[in-house]
Amino acid sequence: MQLHLSPSMRSITISSSNGFVDLMKIKVAARHISYRTLFHTILILAFLLPFVFILTALVTLEGTVNKCSSLDCLGRRLGPRLLGRGDDSGKLVRDFYKILNQVNAEAVPNDLKLPQSFSQLVSEMKSKKYNAKEFAMILKGMMEKAEKETRVSKFAELTNKHFAASAVPKGIHCLSLRLTDEYSSNAHARRQLPSPELLPILSDNSYHHFVLSTDNILAASVVVASAVKSSLKPDKIVFHVITDKKTYAGMHSWFALNPVFPAIVEVKGVHQFEWLTRENVPVLEAVENHFGIRNYYHGNHVAGANLSETTPRTFASKLQARSPKYISLLNHLRIYLPELFPNLEKVVFLDDDVVIQRDLSPLWEIDLGGKVNGAVETCKGEDEWVMSKRFKNYFNFSHPLISKNLNPDECAWAYGMNIFDLHAWRRTDIRDKYHTWLKENLKSNLTMWKLGTLPPALIAFRGHVHPIDSSWHMLGLGYQNKTNIDSVQKAAVIHYNGQAKPWLEIGFEHLRPFWTKYINYSNDFIRNCHILE
């Protein structure tokens, strides 16, 4: 862009840089404009020209992109900007926002026919020529329909996952049947456990006593094998495996035919404990036979649930709380340890979905300070999902008894790997308090809590828990897909609590090897039952 003054100073011309197009021409009348005025005019133009140049360049570039090359086109674009006005696109966007807000406040008509796909929507727009509001309403209807279908599918997935977690896999069922048959036909499978000369060790407090309560033979084999292989003193290990009457023969056969020398294993059925009678545990009989409870754990898990107001995560948590195992005597058995093992002073209780990866001998050296239960607290840790459990996560604080007696922010602790001082326990009323709160929850129609055995234990053991380092017990491998592998490798005990057990097809593939490496796949029973083949 150039500025030209005529020799006579009677005209000023502004032209393009190539000189062919005159953008502006000003004629000066000498009689009416003084040189001083002319000088000021030139000064103002010199100030404005850089801005005119930049704006023109921008519009020219925009015009090039949009195939706009004529001066008329540039004028239409440049004019509104020089006058401080935007183009029409801004107005269109504002109008569309206004329509979207209007449609957002309205309900989608029930009789509105929605396209089944985006391509169908485009096709109908061309043929029916929808206006902006009609288009927005149809789009809203399609999105709401997709969201509803996705939500329904998610709840169906969670329900199916719950049934998969509650079922017994074919291979594990096969293993139990074959081992039970072996018990009846093979004398070696019926041999006494442990051998008579080792019986005194079962009550010798110089040994490290583990208690495992389960009806899953494969899971029990992994717990025992991992504990023995990880121990620096396997000859000091004694396992007390407790199972139910129907599984006793198969469980006994497994450990009789697959000894874990030099460790000692005892297998007992609940029917073999003289103390464990219906008279001593009436509340548990009530739990097992209560119609409302059986219906709650074995009934329709979706009926009565308001899925429109429930998040998938909350629904999954409620389903997990309805696992039939929570009304099993085996699951409540740990509360009777002092009576079941009257001669023992200290035991480590293990769930059947754990794997031991480090020597646990130091647990017996921990000073519990007169407390009964050495446990990992679950309200502290890097994993905010797994390690963020407080009393408010387990109890219904709208219930007057709960709100009156408990603090919602009190830290919870974990079942699954606990060091119990039975000598200190026998001086407390923990068992009676456990029974009392179970009865209160039954009276309240299960409205105080619904998650199995941990809530009444949280109450019964209040004031009797000694926190131990979290590295002893890592939780969440059965429901936390994003579990940190480095943390798993470093933990002494890893716990597959949750639905995704490692022996199920729904187990997480990247976490399963920590469990399967303790399975002897060359064993005839394992091979013939195609365990996790």
Side-chain angles (χ1 to χ4, degrees):
M1 188 172 290
Q2 299 176 351
L3 180 69
H4 300 280
L5 298 176
S6 67
S8 60
M9 298 293 288
R10 292 196 177 249
S11 67
I12 303 171
T13 303
I14 301 173
S15 64
S16 63
S17 58
N18 56 20
F20 291 111
V21 181
D22 294 337
L23 298 178
M24 190 181 296
K25 192 169 185 178
I26 303 173
K27 292 185 178 180
V28 182
R31 295 181 179 179
H32 301 288
I33 301 177
S34 65
Y35 287 107
R36 180 183 295 275
T37 302
L38 181 62
F39 175 76
H40 288 147
T41 301
I42 294 171
L43 192 63
I44 291 171
L45 288 172
F47 178 76
L48 291 176
L49 281 176
F51 295 98
V52 174
F53 172 75
I54 293 171
L55 186 59
T56 304
L58 289 173
V59 174
T60 302
L61 288 173
E62 185 180 344
T64 302
V65 172
N66 294 281
K67 306 301 181 184
C68 180
S69 57
S70 66
L71 289 175
D72 178 62
C73 178
L74 291 175
R76 287 198 307 271
R77 292 182 176 275
L78 183 60
R81 299 193 184 196
L82 289 173
L83 296 175
R85 298 198 302 267
D87 55 25
D88 291 339
S89 62
K91 184 176 183 300
L92 287 173
V93 171
R94 288 193 297 274
D95 289 343
F96 193 59
Y97 284 158
K98 183 178 179 180
I99 292 171
L100 288 177
N101 286 327
Q102 182 182 353
V103 169
N104 187 48
E106 299 177 9
V108 177
N110 293 328
D111 58 348
L112 182 63
K113 294 183 179 180
L114 299 174
Q116 299 300 310
S117 65
F118 181 76
S119 59
Q120 185 181 346
L121 172 63
V122 173
S123 177
E124 290 185 3
M125 284 182 65
K126 291 179 180 178
S127 60
K128 298 182 180 180
K129 302 188 183 303
Y130 294 135
N131 59 37
K133 184 176 180 180
E134 290 172 334
F135 168 75
M137 184 61 75
I138 290 173
L139 196 62
K140 179 182 179 182
M142 292 178 68
M143 293 183 68
E144 287 184 353
K145 180 183 178 184
E147 288 175 359
K148 184 178 180 180
E149 290 176 348
T150 302
R151 188 178 181 83
V152 170
S153 297
K154 183 62 178 177
F155 284 121
E157 176 196 349
L158 292 171
T159 303
N160 292 334
K161 189 175 181 180
H162 170 74
F163 289 129
S166 303
V168 179
K170 182 179 178 180
I172 292 179
H173 182 60
C174 165
L175 184 65
S176 181
L177 290 179
R178 285 178 176 266
L179 286 167
T180 300
D181 181 65
E182 194 72 12
Y183 184 84
S184 63
S185 60
N186 186 345
H188 291 288
R190 295 193 302 272
R191 72 181 180 87
Q192 187 173 344
L193 289 178
S195 55
E197 67 273 13
L198 298 177
L199 288 178
I201 294 177
L202 296 180
S203 56
D204 187 338
N205 284 293
S206 67
Y207 283 77
H208 299 148
H209 294 267
F210 293 89
V211 178
L212 173 64
S213 176
T214 179
D215 60 355
N216 187 327
I217 298 172
L218 183 66
S221 73
V222 169
V223 174
V224 174
S226 64
V228 174
K229 290 182 179 179
S230 302
S231 176
L232 298 178
K233 303 173 182 177
D235 56 320
K236 300 294 289 184
I237 288 179
V238 178
F239 257 97
H240 304 269
V241 180
I242 306 173
T243 190
D244 56 18
K245 191 172 184 178
K246 66 178 176 59
T247 314
Y248 170 75
M251 189 75 75
H252 190 283
S253 292
W254 175 265
F255 287 105
L257 298 174
N258 301 278
V260 285
F261 184 82
I264 296 172
V265 177
E266 173 194 33
V267 178
K268 294 196 75 171
V270 291
H271 58 287
Q272 294 175 318
F273 286 97
E274 295 179 1
W275 182 87
L276 205 61
T277 63
R278 294 180 184 274
E279 291 73 25
N280 288 330
V281 289
V283 66
L284 293 187
E285 183 184 3
V287 167
E288 288 187 326
N289 296 326
H290 190 283
F291 173 77
I293 293 178
R294 294 192 66 82
N295 185 59
Y296 177 78
Y297 285 101
H298 294 281
N300 189 333
H301 299 333
V302 181
N306 190 347
L307 300 185
S308 62
E309 297 181 2
T310 303
T311 65
R313 182 173 176 179
T314 301
F315 184 67
S317 177
K318 289 181 177 179
L319 283 179
Q320 185 177 342
R322 296 177 78 161
S323 173
K325 73 176 184 178
Y326 291 130
I327 58 174
S328 166
L329 174 59
L330 287 176
N331 204 46
H332 290 268
L333 203 63
R334 69 196 86 190
I335 203 68
Y336 306 112
L337 291 177
E339 291 78 21
L340 298 181
F341 300 97
N343 298 316
L344 295 182
E345 296 179 356
K346 231 176 197 181
V347 299
V348 167
F349 187 91
L350 298 170
D351 277 353
D352 64 1
D353 53 355
V354 305
V355 173
I356 293 85
Q357 303 186 128
R358 203 167 72 214
D359 179 44
L360 298 186
S361 300
L363 287 176
W364 275 263
E365 300 171 7
I366 294 177
D367 182 5
L368 297 181
K371 305 292 185 182
V372 173
N373 180 4
V376 169
E377 292 183 313
T378 54
C379 68
K380 305 168 185 177
E382 295 180 1
D383 192 330
E384 295 181 357
W385 190 16
V386 176
M387 301 297 285
S388 60
K389 302 295 189 297
R390 297 182 181 273
F391 275 31
K392 60 186 175 185
N393 298 106
Y394 297 99
F395 297 101
N396 173 22
F397 276 88
S398 63
H399 193 287
L401 269 180
I402 295 296
S403 59
K404 180 181 178 180
N405 291 279
L406 303 179
N407 175 8
D409 293 320
E410 188 169 342
C411 189
W413 44 267
Y415 255 164
M417 198 288 293
N418 304 81
I419 176 76
F420 288 119
D421 185 336
L422 303 185
H423 181 68
W425 191 338
R426 294 184 185 100
R427 299 195 299 266
T428 71
D429 62 347
I430 289 174
R431 187 195 70 197
D432 294 336
K433 190 178 292 185
Y434 186 91
H435 283 176
T436 298
W437 281 91
L438 273 181
K439 292 175 184 176
E440 290 295 338
N441 197 31
L442 285 174
K443 289 179 186 177
S444 301
N445 198 26
L446 301 181
T447 56
M448 296 168 68
W449 71 80
K450 293 184 178 179
L451 189 60
T453 55
L454 181 56
L458 290 174
I459 301 175
F461 281 100
R462 287 183 79 200
H464 300 290
V465 179
H466 176 80
I468 62 175
D469 192 271
S470 60
S471 65
W472 284 111
H473 186 190
M474 182 178 183
L475 299 117
L477 277 73
Y479 66 89
Q480 169 65 292
N481 189 26
K482 297 180 180 179
T483 303
N484 185 287
I485 296 298
D486 290 337
S487 299
V488 173
Q489 293 171 337
K490 295 175 183 176
V493 175
I494 54 175
H495 194 171
Y496 291 84
N497 60 312
Q499 292 178 320
K501 304 299 185 188
W503 56 81
L504 299 174
E505 289 187 7
I506 60 174
F508 301 124
E509 290 294 335
H510 64 295
L511 298 177
R512 183 176 283 129
F514 293 97
W515 185 82
T516 55
K517 69 181 180 180
Y518 293 104
I519 296 177
N520 179 12
Y521 285 100
S522 64
N523 180 278
D524 289 340
F525 292 98
I526 298 291
R527 189 173 65 253
N528 292 333
C529 286
H530 311 288
I531 299 293
L532 292 174
E533 188 175 44

